[in-house]
Amino acid sequence: MKEASPEGAVTISLAERRVFSDSFKPLYNEGMSLVEQAAEYLDGKGRAEAKKLSRLAATLYAAESMRLTPRLMQVASWLLLQRAANSGEMTREQVAAEKAKVRLDTASASEQAEGWMDLPEAFRDLVNRSLSLQNLVRRMDDQVYGSAVAVPQPPRRTNPVSDQITLLNTAFGRV
């Protein structure tokens, strides 16, 4: 966004410049690549690795998988909207209206959660990379479009009771 300062100078948002220029392509490619990597892992090696986990770790794996997939789909949706705006397929107003449906606030269990370190390293890496990408996209979105309602993103939960309740709800299908 270009904003006029009190002195009349124009300020250009770096995030806006990145989103609406060729420098958006690497971010787009990174996001889409992460979606592909996660799908391949969860459908292949991850499925086999999950069968070897303890009951606790398997439940945590299931819960995090159910967070990872929608998180990546929401980030991919945001990236696709920005690409459409870049290519002229959509106006910024159309993008703003459509992106209102995109949620960039999917949480995750804490790395201190019981069983976290028992999860396969490749899976933990995917979760962490997806969270980093989601945070980057959310910051860029806030800088480019502003946040209609300032919803602070809670840090990864470190409450062991909450983590256990989440695990129980997942185990009994109440997610």
Side-chain angles (χ1 to χ4, degrees):
M1 283 184 164
K2 293 180 183 179
E3 297 177 18
S5 68
E7 298 82 32
V10 175
T11 305
I12 298 173
S13 163
L14 293 178
E16 185 171 7
R17 183 178 207 121
R18 181 175 184 188
V19 168
F20 294 104
S21 71
D22 284 341
S23 58
F24 175 74
K25 289 178 185 174
L27 176 64
Y28 176 84
N29 291 338
E30 175 188 350
M32 292 304 155
S33 175
L34 187 56
V35 169
E36 282 183 38
Q37 290 170 30
E40 287 174 14
Y41 176 82
L42 292 173
D43 211 29
K45 186 177 178 185
R47 191 178 302 241
E49 288 180 336
K51 291 178 182 178
K52 300 174 190 172
L53 297 173
S54 69
R55 183 178 210 81
L56 175 68
T59 303
L60 181 58
Y61 180 92
E64 285 304 308
S65 295
M66 289 191 298
R67 292 181 184 119
L68 174 65
T69 304
R71 177 183 309 122
L72 288 173
M73 290 300 99
Q74 294 296 308
V75 167
S77 295
W78 189 90
L79 292 169
L80 286 166
L81 286 170
Q82 302 319 307
R83 187 180 74 167
N86 272 346
S87 67
E89 296 172 29
M90 294 178 78
T91 66
R92 288 179 70 164
E93 291 75 26
Q94 289 172 319
V95 169
E98 288 299 314
K99 77 165 205 64
K101 302 172 190 171
V102 176
R103 297 205 44 184
L104 298 171
D105 60 357
T106 307
S108 183
S110 167
E111 291 182 356
Q112 285 76 40
E114 190 174 350
W116 179 261
M117 294 310 293
D118 297 333
L119 296 175
E121 184 178 345
F123 180 72
R124 287 181 291 155
D125 179 60
L126 285 170
V127 170
N128 288 329
R129 288 171 50 210
S130 74
L131 287 166
S132 293
L133 183 61
Q134 176 184 255
N135 288 334
L136 172 63
V137 165
R138 187 178 47 251
R139 283 191 312 271
M140 292 178 77
D141 183 72
D142 288 346
Q143 290 173 7
V144 172
Y145 298 100
S147 54
V149 178
V151 179
Q153 176 64 21
R156 294 178 72 179
R157 288 194 317 248
T158 57
N159 180 336
V161 173
S162 178
D163 289 339
Q164 290 301 314
I165 290 171
T166 299
L167 287 173
L168 289 171
N169 285 335
T170 300
F172 294 104
R174 295 186 200 143
V175 176

